[in-house]
């Protein structure tokens, strides 16, 4: 399962999302959109959202930290 | 719904800095303490609203640190007491029966002798045409969280408080231009932040002005002002950040008969943090205290804990 998370270091929900993934032993790639402007532009256009975190699970985007949606997408109990 | 087999002396509703400080003090006083909170609608994780403040410079003992660092330190301090349990669970209902309170989350129910409300506030939403449609599409509420997405863009910030000024300063770290739009005569941040605003060449203040409408395509493109600014009521911006104040999260308190003021804030006795309902206390931004800072809220949280302790020991309320 390919999991990418678009984050900003100062965003509390980004930290929360990363903690959630780590607790559930999900490997993920983190893209810091505060420093990577190209990635920022791409994900804003793709998601239609100017807010982070954005979580990409196998190409499906979850906007913001939503535990129920994350659990469903990651097939967690 | 499973009933937790643990009864508590105090349940603190809200897991921001104030709730965590109250937990530390309750546990210190020997009270079996449970903190429940996903900060109750403020839509923030444990740590609460201070985690959205970039730099904190008014908390004794720390000359300068980030809001997240401070929240983490307060959380660690609370957790250092074994009697304090912190669960990131949202409270959905509270009932009072005789001297006992039943506190319900989505998955569990707990029993307690006393309650401390530290539910804080949530951001007041901007209510103009386009504000809802473009929420998270250029209309944003957390400058610290989302400001970096607007590097080299033109952004506006609505509000005139110290929080608004701090948000404008955060935004100016990334954006090429920041307009502060304020309905009153003059913005009113703390002096130190006013000086920083004045010195920052990227920031321009538009006083005595309101936003009438937010327009765009997929994202925000412009705002319509109620007054001409440089000969035009239209202003091209890529974002509208909103910092127009907060709304007290007091619905749960109201449900069990706690009195609120006209702003929806919990009315407390400013001496002991008690409310009109026996066994119920409150602290922090959700209360009617006028000066709302973490430093004052934390102090009230400790007072509330001590009052809960006194209520239990003096009244010999030992079980329910």
């Amino acid at each position: 399962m390919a999991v990418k998370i678009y984050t900003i270091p100062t965003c509390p929900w980004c930290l929360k999302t990363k903690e959630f993934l780590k607790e559930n032993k999900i490997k993920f790639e983190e893209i810091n959109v505060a420093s990577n402007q190209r990635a920022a532009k791409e994900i804003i256009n793709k998601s239609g959202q100017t807010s982070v975190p954005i979580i990409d699970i196998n190409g499906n985007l979850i906007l913001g930290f939503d535990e129920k949606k994350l659990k469903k997408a990651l097939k967690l109990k | 719904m499973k009933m937790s087999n643990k009864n508590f002396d105090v349940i603190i509703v809200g897991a921001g800095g104030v709730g965590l400080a109250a937990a530390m003090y309750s546990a210190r006083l020997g009270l079996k303490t449970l903190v429940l909170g996903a900060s109750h609608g403020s839509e923030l994780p444990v740590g609460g609203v201070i985690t959205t403040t970039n730099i904190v410079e008014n908390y004794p003992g720390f000359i300068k640190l980030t809001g997240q660092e401070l929240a983490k330190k307060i959380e660690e301090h609370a957790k250092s007491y074994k009697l304090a349990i912190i669960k990131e669970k949202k409270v959905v209902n509270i009932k009072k029966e005789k001297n006992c309170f039943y506190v319900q989350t989505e998955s569990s129910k707990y029993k307690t002798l006393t309650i401390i409300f530290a539910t804080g506030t949530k951001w007041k939403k901007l209510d103009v045409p386009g504000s809802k449609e473009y929420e998270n599409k250029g209309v944003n509420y957390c400058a610290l969280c989302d400001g970096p997405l607007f590097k080299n863009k033109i952004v506006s910030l609505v509000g005139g408080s110290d929080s608004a000024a701090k948000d404008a300063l955060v935004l100016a770290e990334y954006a090429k231009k920041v307009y502060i739009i304020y309905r009153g005569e003059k913005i009113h941040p703390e002096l130190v932040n006013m000086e920083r605003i004045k010195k920052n060449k990227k920031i321009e203040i538009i006083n005595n002005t309101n936003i009438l409408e937010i327009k765009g395509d997929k994202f925000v493109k412009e705002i319509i002002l109620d007054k001409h600014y440089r000969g035009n009521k239209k202003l091209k911006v890529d974002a509208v950040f909103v910092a127009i104040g907060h709304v007290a999260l007091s619905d749960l308190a109201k449900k069990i008969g706690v009195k609120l003021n006209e702003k929806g804030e919990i009315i407390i006795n400013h001496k002991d943090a008690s409310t009109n309902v026996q066994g119920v206390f409150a602290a922090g931004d959700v209360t009617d205290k006028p000066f709302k800072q973490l430093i004052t809220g934390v102090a009230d949280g400790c007072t509330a804990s001590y009052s809960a302790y006194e209520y239990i020991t003096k009244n010999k309320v030992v079980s329910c």
Side-chain angles (χ1 to χ4, degrees), chain B residues 50 53-67 70 74 162-163 166 189-193 196 285 291-299:
Chain B
I50 196 69
T53 297
N54 189 16
I55 300 294
V56 180
E57 297 169 302
N58 61 353
Y59 201 91
F62 306 100
I63 294 168
K64 194 175 183 178
L65 77 174
T66 69
L70 181 55
I74 299 173
D162 190 54
S163 295
K166 285 197 272 193
E190 287 182 1
L191 190 62
V192 62
N193 289 321
R196 288 168 179 158
D285 289 356
F291 190 47
K292 296 184 193 301
Q293 294 289 331
L294 184 60
I295 175 176
T296 56
V298 158

Side-chain angles (χ1 to χ4, degrees), chain A residues 2-69:
Chain A
V3 180
K4 274 188 205 170
I5 168 169
Y6 295 84
T7 63
I8 285 173
T10 48
C11 148
W13 279 120
C14 298
L15 294 178
K16 179 73 203 158
T17 308
K18 286 195 286 179
E19 274 173 23
F20 173 84
L21 294 173
K22 282 176 192 166
E23 276 167 18
N24 287 286
K25 298 183 172 55
I26 305 288
K27 284 187 182 167
F28 62 92
E29 179 191 351
E30 183 179 6
I31 298 154
N32 176 353
V33 287
S35 57
N36 186 341
Q37 285 303 303
R38 199 173 146 193
K41 209 173 168 183
E42 276 172 17
I43 196 63
I44 287 171
N45 283 324
K46 194 175 167 191
S47 67
Q49 173 156 313
T50 59
S51 185
V52 287
I54 298 169
I55 305 102
D56 182 332
I57 301 171
N58 289 337
N60 294 317
L61 299 182
I62 294 176
L63 311 178
F65 176 74
D66 187 322
E67 198 171 332
K68 279 182 188 164
K69 281 187 186 171

